[in-house]
Structures are given as C-alpha cells and as structure tokens.
Amino acid sequence: MLRDLKIETLTGNLKLKALGLDSFGYGNLSLIDRDSGLIVARPFGKACDSLSMDDMLVFDLMGNLVEGDGRATEDLPVHLELYRNFADLDAIAMTRSTYATAFAQAGRDIPFYGSLHADFFGSDIPCIKRMDEEDFEDDYILSMAHAVKEELAAFTPEIMPAVLVHSHGAFVFGHNAGDVLSNAAALEETARLAFLTEMLNPDVEQPSLKLMEKGFYARHSMLLRSDAPDKD
C-alpha cells in the first residue's frame, strides 16, 4: 500500500540527516495521501541509517496503525493535528537543525533581517509559547500540537512554512518531501544568518517590512506562475 509515498518518505527522512537538518536522526518527515487520508511516517526507536521502505508505517488521520510493524514517533500527534486542520498541507517534518533549534531553545522568534528570509517566509518565524507545568501534567504532545496549529492558523502554511517549538525544535511544512527539505534548509540558513547578524551588530534594526513583502510576494507569484499548467 502507498509504495511510492513510502519511498518518498524514507528518502526524505534520510535526507534530513544527510543535509545536516537533523544531526542525530531523531527527526520525522511524514507525508499524507489526501485521496485515502492515509499518512506514512517513520517508526520510533530505529536508527535513521538503518531505515528501509519496509520500516515505514501507515496511519489513518486518527492515528490508528493501518500497516507496518512498530510504533509511532512521539511527535506524530502534531502531524495528525496539522493534517486534519490544513487541507493544503501534504508534508511535515520535525527538525532539530543547530541554529533554528538554538532560537527555539531561547524561546525566540527568528526576526526578519534580509532578502533570503523574505524569499521563504512572509513574517518573523514564530516560536510557540513555553509549555508550563499544567501542559506536562495533561498531555504535553497534544498541547504542543494545539499551540503549533494556532500559530500556523494565524499565517497559513504558504506564508509561514515553519514554526519553532520552545525548547524542542521546529516543524516545517510543504506540499511534498522536496518542498519540506527546501523549507527546512531555508529555515536553518535564515536562523544562522540572523544569529550572525546580531553577533556583528547587537543593535541591528529590522529593515522595512515593505522589503519583506516585496521579496516574498514577488518570489511566490513567480513560483505560482511556473506551476501553472501550459495552455494549448
């Protein structure tokens, strides 16, 4: 079942580590088949380097295991919550790349400082609130899922394809595995540049938001035109 999606999911998970977006292989890239409502994700507890297509698990939108042998990674409820609430979202990855995770651990949004940021992100990249003791006493992962959903709902995945999770890492979104990997790489480079910018000039001021709007909408309008079907 879903052979091609399993191959794409496996390849995406391996590339997360190979590209330095998930150094220790703890990340999780999942994909959904919207026609069937089934989700393919990696299993918990198996080293990234030893994953095979046969290890990929298939879940329904309620998190029930439909195919495969193993159990879900702990962040799967976040993926499910987002797939259920954003119909145009087809791929999600949880990443822990170095600079993006540093901003998450600091509990900071990644501020807009230049054109590369604007190429991918239509605003400062948000970091959700710190989970408190009550969240841990209830359901920490479900609380995280709701917080990411609320943050994403304020922007839409097209405008904001990544959300930082306080003290945890980041969730990155796209239409397929390649899209997610590109956005995850852009997130890490944007975080690195923001960190270096503040190191070089602690008093740096953000550019006019008009620069971000111009860069973001110009690039995305171009992408939309390139994706349009050819007319006869």
Side-chain angles (χ1 to χ4, degrees):
M1 184 188 295
L2 302 178
R3 175 181 172 81
D4 290 345
L5 210 63
K6 287 181 181 180
I7 294 172
E8 187 180 357
T9 304
L10 170 63
T11 303
N13 276 288
L14 296 178
K15 284 185 175 180
L16 276 179
K17 185 176 181 182
L19 294 172
L21 302 172
D22 181 38
S23 300
F24 291 94
Y26 296 142
N28 180 21
L29 185 149
S30 72
L31 296 168
I32 186 171
D33 175 60
R34 285 293 179 184
D35 291 335
S36 64
L38 295 177
I39 297 153
V40 179
R42 64 172 293 183
F44 172 81
K46 186 157 188 177
C48 187
D49 294 339
S50 63
L51 285 174
S52 72
M53 189 187 76
D54 292 335
D55 294 316
M56 297 298 102
L57 305 178
V58 180
F59 300 90
D60 64 21
L61 277 166
M62 299 310 296
N64 299 307
L65 182 63
V66 174
E67 182 182 329
D69 182 19
R71 67 185 181 93
T73 58
E74 68 172 9
D75 65 303
L76 183 67
V78 182
H79 296 235
L80 297 174
E81 183 73 8
L82 298 178
Y83 284 134
R84 287 194 295 259
N85 284 276
F86 300 96
D88 57 347
L89 197 59
D90 300 312
I92 299 170
M94 192 282 286
T95 69
R96 289 196 180 105
S97 56
T98 303
Y99 286 89
T101 302
F103 271 90
Q105 291 183 170
R108 285 193 56 191
D109 297 351
I110 301 174
F112 163 65
Y113 286 133
S115 296
L116 179 67
H117 185 127
D119 281 345
F120 291 87
F121 307 100
S123 177
D124 292 353
I125 302 166
C127 181
I128 68 169
K129 69 180 182 68
R130 183 175 67 88
M131 299 290 108
D132 57 25
E133 294 299 325
E134 184 177 339
D135 293 314
F136 281 92
E137 289 174 1
D138 294 332
D139 187 326
Y140 168 68
I141 299 298
L142 191 57
S143 295
M144 181 195 301
H146 289 159
V148 173
K149 178 188 71 175
E150 290 171 7
E151 198 67 63
L152 194 55
F155 291 100
T156 78
E158 288 292 340
I159 293 175
M160 185 49 59
V163 171
L164 303 182
V165 176
H166 199 302
S167 308
H168 188 80
F171 284 93
V172 186
F173 321 110
H175 296 296
N176 52 52
D179 200 18
V180 165
L181 290 167
S182 176
N183 289 335
L187 171 67
E188 176 61 7
E189 184 66 3
T190 298
R192 186 177 76 90
L193 288 172
F195 175 83
L196 293 173
T197 298
E198 293 181 354
M199 289 289 290
L200 289 167
N201 181 4
D203 299 319
V204 62
E205 295 183 4
Q206 289 186 274
S208 166
L209 294 181
K210 291 293 183 182
L211 174 63
M212 179 167 59
E213 293 171 3
K214 181 179 179 180
F216 180 82
Y217 288 108
R219 182 174 188 274
H220 282 256
S221 295
M222 179 179 66
L223 290 175
L224 287 173
R225 287 196 298 271
S226 67
D227 289 341
D230 294 332
K231 294 183 180 179
D232 294 332

